[in-house]
Amino acid sequence: MAYARSKKIGIDAIPVIDIGAIFEGEAAEKEVGIRLLNTVQEFGFFYVENHSIEQSLIDDVFEQARLFFYAGLEQKNKLRIKDYHRGFLPIGEAKMSGAQNRDYKESFVWGWDVDVGDPDVPNSNWILAPNRWPSFQPKMKTVFTTYLSTVNMLGIYLLRALALALGVSREHFVQNFFKPLTRASIIYYP
């Protein structure tokens, strides 16, 4: 297997790693982990291919995102981010740290879904929090939570492979992943 190939972006190259073997048992998992580790040490980041996430699920996420952003502003504003970083953020309300201007985009942020009374919510600086879902688009919750759960599981496979490559227990990095702080965003630049 090739170490990694590059996807050219401007003058920079981002390594692409085929992780398909990660699902074939511990020996293959460790081999993928070694490639990941070497790439992280050399480049700092990478793309993955053969990740096993069904294209139909990815397509569903894009379709739900399209439907959401094409909905009326009055509907989306009912989901505006309030007490924690979940929900809709309209154009001009996001600004990157150190930037002079606000971002010209809309976004919707969601993550692992918990109740507001969950004791881990305040301890996570409100990163772990309840989601806000549109009543006008009921399929969005199912698609987005399925996608996030699938991506989180892929992350667990990657962390297990890296643990094996580092010579520690396979569960070293994932043994406490009960409520991941993972968040996801869909973004629309008009």
Side-chain angles (χ1 to χ4, degrees):
M1 273 192 244
Y3 162 67
R5 64 181 170 77
S6 296
K7 185 180 280 190
K8 297 288 184 185
I9 297 180
I11 60 171
D12 299 325
I14 299 174
V16 179
I17 301 175
D18 182 337
I19 63 165
I22 207 169
F23 311 104
E24 298 173 6
E26 244 180 78
E29 193 175 33
K30 183 175 181 177
E31 183 181 321
V32 171
I34 290 168
R35 287 198 312 271
L36 293 170
L37 182 61
N38 290 337
T39 303
V40 167
Q41 289 172 335
E42 184 176 345
F43 296 98
F45 55 93
F46 50 84
Y47 287 114
V48 297
E49 63 185 0
N50 294 319
H51 47 68
S52 81
I53 299 174
E54 295 291 331
Q55 187 60 48
S56 60
L57 177 57
I58 295 168
D59 293 343
D60 284 348
V61 169
F62 274 94
E63 176 63 10
Q64 290 302 307
R66 185 188 67 75
L67 292 171
F68 179 79
F69 288 125
Y70 283 29
L73 189 57
E74 184 178 325
Q75 288 179 303
K76 292 183 288 191
N77 274 333
K78 292 176 184 173
L79 302 165
R80 282 180 83 132
I81 291 175
K82 292 182 183 175
D83 300 328
Y84 35 83
H85 200 67
R86 293 285 202 284
F88 174 64
L89 201 58
I91 291 174
E93 291 203 14
K95 183 177 168 184
M96 295 301 290
S97 179
Q100 298 266 344
N101 299 320
R102 297 194 175 277
D103 289 344
Y104 189 70
K105 68 179 182 191
E106 290 182 349
S107 60
F108 179 86
V109 181
W110 79 101
W112 195 263
D113 214 358
V114 297
D115 292 328
V116 74
D118 187 301
D120 291 328
V121 170
N123 297 330
S124 73
N125 288 327
W126 297 93
I127 294 173
L128 186 64
N131 290 309
R132 301 173 56 97
W133 298 108
S135 60
F136 62 88
Q137 195 174 333
K139 188 176 176 185
M140 186 172 160
K141 177 180 179 179
T142 301
V143 170
F144 281 21
T145 55
T146 300
Y147 178 76
L148 188 62
S149 177
T150 303
V151 170
N152 276 331
M153 183 51 67
L154 177 60
I156 287 171
Y157 275 98
L158 293 172
L159 288 171
R160 285 175 174 156
L162 284 167
L164 290 172
L166 289 167
V168 296
S169 157
R170 184 173 179 262
E171 300 301 311
H172 181 80
F173 297 118
V174 300
Q175 60 191 338
N176 295 313
F177 273 40
F178 305 113
K179 295 178 191 170
L181 297 179
T182 313
R183 289 183 300 174
S185 297
I186 53 171
I187 299 173
Y188 173 63
Y189 292 93

